[in-house]
Amino acid sequence: MDTVVERELELRLVLSPERSIPVPARLRYRTDDPYAVQIAFHIGSDQPVRWTFARELLVEGVFRPCGHGDVRVWPTKVGGRGVVLMALSSPDGDALLEAPAEQLTAWLERTLRAVPPGSEAGRLGIDAGLAELLAPSPRLSASLDQGASPSPDDLWLRDPWPSDESADGEQP
């Protein structure tokens, strides 16, 4: 069962060292996409502006500066209170957003309880998907076991480059 961890939060868009404006945002984490977090900013347009980036980047950014390129995150103090700054860059422009550290951390802790660090890959089902993808077709295996020729539809499952080695290990 997939879980969604969401939180409405008021961020501040930093316009200058002396001025910032409130920006309502929704933080979202889905256990079926365990490596990513999404932040949707409600800026008065028909659709919110969405940013998706690594959960690990946000978790690390609560404690120390991290990231480079489009997303950078770091903790600091503003007016005696702990905040986390997020610098976002895109071809459309740049934004510096301030999030209350306590509220952001509480939401991140909920995501970490939903999918603990290091267990993300297990949530994706990659191993099971690869095993299914790479498993031989039961119909092809049965027909080959009975000595029958495979149907043209099954030929695409066969290895187009047979091994260069003979069955007894000698080169042909």
Side-chain angles (χ1 to χ4, degrees), residues 49-66:
V49 174
R50 297 183 200 286
W51 276 77
T52 302
F53 50 90
R55 174 178 72 163
E56 184 178 332
L57 178 68
L58 197 54
V59 169
E60 186 176 338
V62 167
F63 299 103
R64 67 187 141 276
C66 66

PDB file of all heavy atoms in Angstrom, residues 49-66:
ATOM      1  N   VAL A  49       3.220  26.024  -9.024  1.00  0.00           N
ATOM      2  CA  VAL A  49       4.554  25.738  -9.547  1.00  0.00           C
ATOM      3  C   VAL A  49       5.098  24.574  -8.733  1.00  0.00           C
ATOM      4  O   VAL A  49       5.132  24.637  -7.502  1.00  0.00           O
ATOM      5  CB  VAL A  49       5.481  26.966  -9.418  1.00  0.00           C
ATOM      6  CG1 VAL A  49       6.894  26.623  -9.827  1.00  0.00           C
ATOM      7  CG2 VAL A  49       4.927  28.124 -10.226  1.00  0.00           C
ATOM      8  N   ARG A  50       5.512  23.504  -9.414  1.00  0.00           N
ATOM      9  CA  ARG A  50       5.985  22.305  -8.721  1.00  0.00           C
ATOM     10  C   ARG A  50       7.479  22.093  -8.938  1.00  0.00           C
ATOM     11  O   ARG A  50       7.967  22.222 -10.047  1.00  0.00           O
ATOM     12  CB  ARG A  50       5.245  21.066  -9.224  1.00  0.00           C
ATOM     13  CG  ARG A  50       3.779  21.088  -8.967  1.00  0.00           C
ATOM     14  CD  ARG A  50       3.116  19.793  -9.434  1.00  0.00           C
ATOM     15  NE  ARG A  50       1.699  19.915  -9.629  1.00  0.00           N
ATOM     16  CZ  ARG A  50       0.805  19.993  -8.673  1.00  0.00           C
ATOM     17  NH1 ARG A  50       1.180  19.971  -7.426  1.00  0.00           N
ATOM     18  NH2 ARG A  50      -0.477  20.110  -8.939  1.00  0.00           N
ATOM     19  N   TRP A  51       8.131  21.756  -7.855  1.00  0.00           N
ATOM     20  CA  TRP A  51       9.547  21.379  -7.905  1.00  0.00           C
ATOM     21  C   TRP A  51       9.664  20.004  -7.270  1.00  0.00           C
ATOM     22  O   TRP A  51       9.107  19.755  -6.195  1.00  0.00           O
ATOM     23  CB  TRP A  51      10.390  22.374  -7.114  1.00  0.00           C
ATOM     24  CG  TRP A  51      10.747  23.583  -7.913  1.00  0.00           C
ATOM     25  CD1 TRP A  51       9.939  24.635  -8.200  1.00  0.00           C
ATOM     26  CD2 TRP A  51      11.993  23.853  -8.534  1.00  0.00           C
ATOM     27  NE1 TRP A  51      10.610  25.545  -8.949  1.00  0.00           N
ATOM     28  CE2 TRP A  51      11.878  25.096  -9.174  1.00  0.00           C
ATOM     29  CE3 TRP A  51      13.198  23.171  -8.616  1.00  0.00           C
ATOM     30  CZ2 TRP A  51      12.918  25.669  -9.890  1.00  0.00           C
ATOM     31  CZ3 TRP A  51      14.247  23.745  -9.316  1.00  0.00           C
ATOM     32  CH2 TRP A  51      14.098  24.984  -9.951  1.00  0.00           C
ATOM     33  N   THR A  52      10.396  19.129  -7.923  1.00  0.00           N
ATOM     34  CA  THR A  52      10.649  17.794  -7.402  1.00  0.00           C
ATOM     35  C   THR A  52      12.156  17.613  -7.325  1.00  0.00           C
ATOM     36  O   THR A  52      12.875  17.913  -8.282  1.00  0.00           O
ATOM     37  CB  THR A  52      10.037  16.720  -8.324  1.00  0.00           C
ATOM     38  OG1 THR A  52       8.632  16.969  -8.437  1.00  0.00           O
ATOM     39  CG2 THR A  52      10.254  15.329  -7.770  1.00  0.00           C
ATOM     40  N   PHE A  53      12.614  17.152  -6.170  1.00  0.00           N
ATOM     41  CA  PHE A  53      14.038  16.879  -6.014  1.00  0.00           C
ATOM     42  C   PHE A  53      14.244  15.819  -4.945  1.00  0.00           C
ATOM     43  O   PHE A  53      13.289  15.344  -4.335  1.00  0.00           O
ATOM     44  CB  PHE A  53      14.843  18.158  -5.735  1.00  0.00           C
ATOM     45  CG  PHE A  53      14.312  19.025  -4.634  1.00  0.00           C
ATOM     46  CD1 PHE A  53      14.719  18.846  -3.322  1.00  0.00           C
ATOM     47  CD2 PHE A  53      13.411  20.042  -4.917  1.00  0.00           C
ATOM     48  CE1 PHE A  53      14.234  19.654  -2.315  1.00  0.00           C
ATOM     49  CE2 PHE A  53      12.930  20.865  -3.917  1.00  0.00           C
ATOM     50  CZ  PHE A  53      13.344  20.666  -2.611  1.00  0.00           C
ATOM     51  N   ALA A  54      15.472  15.424  -4.748  1.00  0.00           N
ATOM     52  CA  ALA A  54      15.797  14.309  -3.859  1.00  0.00           C
ATOM     53  C   ALA A  54      15.450  14.612  -2.406  1.00  0.00           C
ATOM     54  O   ALA A  54      15.800  15.668  -1.880  1.00  0.00           O
ATOM     55  CB  ALA A  54      17.272  13.954  -3.970  1.00  0.00           C
ATOM     56  N   ARG A  55      14.774  13.662  -1.769  1.00  0.00           N
ATOM     57  CA  ARG A  55      14.463  13.798  -0.342  1.00  0.00           C
ATOM     58  C   ARG A  55      15.760  13.924   0.450  1.00  0.00           C
ATOM     59  O   ARG A  55      15.854  14.727   1.379  1.00  0.00           O
ATOM     60  CB  ARG A  55      13.656  12.591   0.136  1.00  0.00           C
ATOM     61  CG  ARG A  55      13.418  12.603   1.636  1.00  0.00           C
ATOM     62  CD  ARG A  55      12.587  11.467   2.125  1.00  0.00           C
ATOM     63  NE  ARG A  55      13.277  10.209   2.099  1.00  0.00           N
ATOM     64  CZ  ARG A  55      12.893   9.119   2.765  1.00  0.00           C
ATOM     65  NH1 ARG A  55      11.802   9.148   3.505  1.00  0.00           N
ATOM     66  NH2 ARG A  55      13.562   8.004   2.676  1.00  0.00           N
ATOM     67  N   GLU A  56      16.763  13.164   0.067  1.00  0.00           N
ATOM     68  CA  GLU A  56      18.047  13.185   0.763  1.00  0.00           C
ATOM     69  C   GLU A  56      18.661  14.590   0.765  1.00  0.00           C
ATOM     70  O   GLU A  56      19.276  15.006   1.748  1.00  0.00           O
ATOM     71  CB  GLU A  56      19.007  12.195   0.099  1.00  0.00           C
ATOM     72  CG  GLU A  56      20.331  12.062   0.782  1.00  0.00           C
ATOM     73  CD  GLU A  56      21.214  11.033   0.090  1.00  0.00           C
ATOM     74  OE1 GLU A  56      20.701  10.089  -0.526  1.00  0.00           O
ATOM     75  OE2 GLU A  56      22.440  11.192   0.191  1.00  0.00           O
ATOM     76  N   LEU A  57      18.483  15.327  -0.313  1.00  0.00           N
ATOM     77  CA  LEU A  57      18.999  16.697  -0.397  1.00  0.00           C
ATOM     78  C   LEU A  57      18.328  17.579   0.651  1.00  0.00           C
ATOM     79  O   LEU A  57      18.991  18.351   1.346  1.00  0.00           O
ATOM     80  CB  LEU A  57      18.745  17.253  -1.801  1.00  0.00           C
ATOM     81  CG  LEU A  57      19.167  18.686  -2.063  1.00  0.00           C
ATOM     82  CD1 LEU A  57      20.676  18.824  -2.036  1.00  0.00           C
ATOM     83  CD2 LEU A  57      18.627  19.145  -3.397  1.00  0.00           C
ATOM     84  N   LEU A  58      17.036  17.452   0.806  1.00  0.00           N
ATOM     85  CA  LEU A  58      16.312  18.257   1.790  1.00  0.00           C
ATOM     86  C   LEU A  58      16.678  17.834   3.212  1.00  0.00           C
ATOM     87  O   LEU A  58      16.875  18.683   4.085  1.00  0.00           O
ATOM     88  CB  LEU A  58      14.810  18.137   1.545  1.00  0.00           C
ATOM     89  CG  LEU A  58      13.915  19.177   2.182  1.00  0.00           C
ATOM     90  CD1 LEU A  58      14.343  20.589   1.835  1.00  0.00           C
ATOM     91  CD2 LEU A  58      12.468  18.956   1.758  1.00  0.00           C
ATOM     92  N   VAL A  59      16.793  16.527   3.446  1.00  0.00           N
ATOM     93  CA  VAL A  59      17.179  16.034   4.778  1.00  0.00           C
ATOM     94  C   VAL A  59      18.560  16.558   5.148  1.00  0.00           C
ATOM     95  O   VAL A  59      18.760  17.077   6.253  1.00  0.00           O
ATOM     96  CB  VAL A  59      17.148  14.485   4.822  1.00  0.00           C
ATOM     97  CG1 VAL A  59      17.793  13.966   6.100  1.00  0.00           C
ATOM     98  CG2 VAL A  59      15.723  13.976   4.712  1.00  0.00           C
ATOM     99  N   GLU A  60      19.505  16.453   4.246  1.00  0.00           N
ATOM    100  CA  GLU A  60      20.855  16.940   4.538  1.00  0.00           C
ATOM    101  C   GLU A  60      20.880  18.455   4.712  1.00  0.00           C
ATOM    102  O   GLU A  60      21.577  18.985   5.573  1.00  0.00           O
ATOM    103  CB  GLU A  60      21.826  16.538   3.419  1.00  0.00           C
ATOM    104  CG  GLU A  60      23.260  16.891   3.730  1.00  0.00           C
ATOM    105  CD  GLU A  60      24.246  16.427   2.680  1.00  0.00           C
ATOM    106  OE1 GLU A  60      23.936  15.496   1.924  1.00  0.00           O
ATOM    107  OE2 GLU A  60      25.342  17.019   2.618  1.00  0.00           O
ATOM    108  N   GLY A  61      20.072  19.160   3.902  1.00  0.00           N
ATOM    109  CA  GLY A  61      20.043  20.618   3.958  1.00  0.00           C
ATOM    110  C   GLY A  61      19.505  21.178   5.260  1.00  0.00           C
ATOM    111  O   GLY A  61      19.731  22.352   5.576  1.00  0.00           O
ATOM    112  N   VAL A  62      18.811  20.376   6.052  1.00  0.00           N
ATOM    113  CA  VAL A  62      18.344  20.810   7.369  1.00  0.00           C
ATOM    114  C   VAL A  62      19.539  20.965   8.317  1.00  0.00           C
ATOM    115  O   VAL A  62      19.494  21.772   9.241  1.00  0.00           O
ATOM    116  CB  VAL A  62      17.314  19.798   7.927  1.00  0.00           C
ATOM    117  CG1 VAL A  62      17.033  20.022   9.397  1.00  0.00           C
ATOM    118  CG2 VAL A  62      16.029  19.864   7.119  1.00  0.00           C
ATOM    119  N   PHE A  63      20.619  20.211   8.057  1.00  0.00           N
ATOM    120  CA  PHE A  63      21.778  20.198   8.956  1.00  0.00           C
ATOM    121  C   PHE A  63      22.982  20.975   8.445  1.00  0.00           C
ATOM    122  O   PHE A  63      23.759  21.510   9.240  1.00  0.00           O
ATOM    123  CB  PHE A  63      22.216  18.753   9.223  1.00  0.00           C
ATOM    124  CG  PHE A  63      21.152  17.949   9.882  1.00  0.00           C
ATOM    125  CD1 PHE A  63      20.405  17.038   9.151  1.00  0.00           C
ATOM    126  CD2 PHE A  63      20.854  18.117  11.226  1.00  0.00           C
ATOM    127  CE1 PHE A  63      19.406  16.292   9.752  1.00  0.00           C
ATOM    128  CE2 PHE A  63      19.859  17.385  11.840  1.00  0.00           C
ATOM    129  CZ  PHE A  63      19.129  16.470  11.101  1.00  0.00           C
ATOM    130  N   ARG A  64      23.170  21.014   7.114  1.00  0.00           N
ATOM    131  CA  ARG A  64      24.361  21.661   6.548  1.00  0.00           C
ATOM    132  C   ARG A  64      24.093  22.055   5.098  1.00  0.00           C
ATOM    133  O   ARG A  64      23.219  21.477   4.456  1.00  0.00           O
ATOM    134  CB  ARG A  64      25.565  20.746   6.652  1.00  0.00           C
ATOM    135  CG  ARG A  64      25.500  19.513   5.805  1.00  0.00           C
ATOM    136  CD  ARG A  64      26.658  18.540   6.085  1.00  0.00           C
ATOM    137  NE  ARG A  64      26.199  17.172   6.052  1.00  0.00           N
ATOM    138  CZ  ARG A  64      25.635  16.514   7.055  1.00  0.00           C
ATOM    139  NH1 ARG A  64      25.461  17.096   8.203  1.00  0.00           N
ATOM    140  NH2 ARG A  64      25.246  15.275   6.926  1.00  0.00           N
ATOM    141  N   PRO A  65      24.851  22.988   4.574  1.00  0.00           N
ATOM    142  CA  PRO A  65      24.656  23.384   3.176  1.00  0.00           C
ATOM    143  C   PRO A  65      24.902  22.199   2.238  1.00  0.00           C
ATOM    144  O   PRO A  65      25.852  21.430   2.432  1.00  0.00           O
ATOM    145  CB  PRO A  65      25.713  24.467   2.958  1.00  0.00           C
ATOM    146  CG  PRO A  65      26.030  24.978   4.315  1.00  0.00           C
ATOM    147  CD  PRO A  65      25.871  23.812   5.245  1.00  0.00           C
ATOM    148  N   CYS A  66      24.027  22.051   1.261  1.00  0.00           N
ATOM    149  CA  CYS A  66      24.202  20.973   0.290  1.00  0.00           C
ATOM    150  C   CYS A  66      23.529  21.352  -1.020  1.00  0.00           C
ATOM    151  O   CYS A  66      22.774  22.317  -1.092  1.00  0.00           O
ATOM    152  CB  CYS A  66      23.649  19.655   0.828  1.00  0.00           C
ATOM    153  SG  CYS A  66      21.871  19.675   1.058  1.00  0.00           S
TER     154      CYS A  66
END
